Amino acid sequence: MHPWVGLSDDVRLGLLTEWVTPELVDEVLAGCGWRDAKPRPLSSRFMVYYVLALALFQQDSYDDVAENLVGTLGRMDQSIPNKSSFTRARQQLGAAPLEVVFRRLAGAIAPDDLGAAFWRGMRVAAVDGFLLDVPENDATRAAFGGQVDSTGRPIGFPQARVVTLTETGTHATIDARVGSFKGGGGEPALATAMADSAAGMLVIMDRAFPGVALWKAYTQAGAHLLIRARTFVAAKPTEVLADGTYLTRMNLAGQRRSHPGGVTVRVIDYRIDGGETIRLLTDLLDPEAWPADELAALYHERWGATRSRTRLSELPDRRIDLMSTA
């Protein structure tokens, strides 16, 4: 019998175990219908912590990660199972328990009195996307795809596309979606799938995301939007507001501005230090209730640790000029 049998269930993952408790892991495993048929060195509970450790120690081998977990535990720092055993155990565990653990723990954490996490009564969140390399094999290449050269030959590893919804004041992840490098609508489609998680929030996005479907999904879920756009998007005013910002329609490609399938947006243009024009789109249409200078500052400082400054005139070292259409 392997010396780890009966011991691996006692392995923890440092401070992370304060949130990912053994009780939570056991509850998730039971809910996923996963139970070890017999005692084994790589128990299902251990493998949950092991996969989390793989994410924390990305540059380490399977053996090194195992040593990080058990190196200080008597009777377990020797006889580490071989790599193939970890591979089989990880495949048997599958992705479902890890996703359920994530869903159980993810969410906004800022208390109501943390002013840096809120703006005019709304919790502030941001959507962002990035790519992760995944192992090179036929299955991952077919599932995720990746970059190719001009002849269609793969470049580098297959890549998964990840889009997250994050509380800006704390950097806590509220939701996340994983998709393929190409196909399925890309980052906008993954972001749209998270709309319900943003209810009641003001959500900031960069210029990869504007679109009618995404806009409707978030606003219908009860979220508000502040999205950067290219300057040719929403470029024709239908109504100029008192502060120089303007209202217009954003429609699907090929639709007229009067098409009922579009959405009304407010456009805020500004420059930083006299540089390029930055265009923001928002569904917050009233210039008195939702000042343009505060919204521009909010976008500009969306990842700042604090948000005590809410006026452009108070931002140090950078000159930000609103551009009026009036």
Side-chain angles (χ1 to χ4, degrees):
M1 179 179 292
H2 193 280
W4 279 25
V5 173
L7 296 177
S8 61
D9 268 343
D10 294 329
V11 170
R12 304 290 185 267
L13 193 54
L15 184 63
L16 189 61
T17 308
E18 182 177 336
W19 296 278
V20 189
T21 64
E23 293 77 18
L24 171 62
V25 173
D26 289 345
E27 182 180 337
V28 167
L29 289 169
C32 292
W34 181 257
R35 293 185 179 181
D36 295 327
K38 58 182 180 180
R40 55 187 184 135
L42 301 179
S43 68
S44 52
R45 183 200 286 178
F46 173 84
M47 288 306 300
V48 169
Y49 286 117
Y50 181 74
V51 174
L52 293 175
L54 289 176
L56 292 176
F57 308 109
Q58 296 181 30
Q59 304 304 316
D60 292 347
S61 68
Y62 271 31
D63 290 345
D64 289 340
V65 172
E67 290 178 0
N68 287 335
L69 282 178
V70 305
T72 61
L73 301 177
R75 296 181 294 170
M76 293 188 69
D77 57 351
Q78 303 294 325
S79 302
I80 292 177
N82 58 40
K83 180 178 178 179
S84 61
S85 297
F86 282 103
T87 299
R88 287 193 300 271
R90 189 178 178 187
Q91 291 172 340
Q92 291 170 355
L93 179 68
L98 277 300
E99 180 172 358
V100 175
V101 168
F102 170 77
R103 300 292 172 201
R104 291 283 297 272
L105 296 175
I109 62 174
D112 293 342
D113 60 354
L114 182 61
F118 296 85
W119 180 75
R120 292 186 172 249
M122 290 181 287
R123 190 180 300 271
V124 182
V127 167
D128 200 10
F130 55 92
L131 295 170
L132 289 177
D133 290 344
V134 296
E136 176 66 80
N137 56 57
D138 291 342
T140 55
R141 180 66 64 178
F144 295 104
Q147 300 184 53
V148 297
D149 63 18
S150 58
T151 67
R153 292 185 300 179
I155 300 175
F157 287 98
Q159 291 183 308
R161 189 175 298 280
V162 184
V163 175
T164 61
L165 176 66
T166 304
E167 185 177 46
T168 61
T170 64
H171 293 194
T173 301
I174 299 168
D175 200 350
R177 292 291 189 276
V178 180
S180 62
F181 177 79
K182 289 186 176 179
E187 289 184 353
L190 294 174
T192 299
M194 300 188 293
D196 287 343
S197 298
M201 302 180 188
L202 174 59
V203 183
I204 303 173
M205 305 186 197
D206 66 26
R207 55 188 171 190
F209 293 98
V212 173
L214 179 144
W215 198 276
K216 289 183 175 180
Y218 276 80
T219 54
Q220 290 172 5
H224 294 286
L225 294 168
L226 183 65
I227 306 182
R228 186 173 178 180
R230 293 172 174 83
T231 52
F232 61 79
V233 175
K236 297 180 179 180
T238 58
E239 179 184 352
V240 178
L241 303 176
D243 64 346
T245 64
Y246 65 86
L247 305 183
T248 189
R249 297 283 292 177
M250 183 169 62
N251 297 310
L252 296 172
Q255 290 181 349
R256 296 179 179 179
R257 282 195 295 163
S258 60
H259 194 283
V263 293
T264 297
V265 302
R266 178 181 170 208
V267 179
I268 302 169
D269 288 339
Y270 65 97
R271 289 191 178 121
I272 300 176
D273 292 340
E276 67 171 323
T277 298
I278 296 176
R279 171 161 293 172
L280 302 179
L281 311 180
T282 183
D283 67 311
L284 301 171
L285 306 183
D286 186 341
E288 292 188 7
W290 316 109
D293 63 341
E294 293 187 21
L295 287 166
L298 194 66
Y299 182 84
H300 179 65
E301 295 198 313
R302 61 193 181 280
W303 294 117
T306 63
R307 198 170 290 109
S308 59
R309 299 184 302 272
T310 59
R311 293 279 177 185
L312 293 177
S313 60
E314 298 171 346
L315 290 175
D317 303 325
R318 308 298 298 275
R319 194 182 82 251
I320 306 180
D321 301 313
L322 287 175
M323 299 173 61
S324 174
T325 307

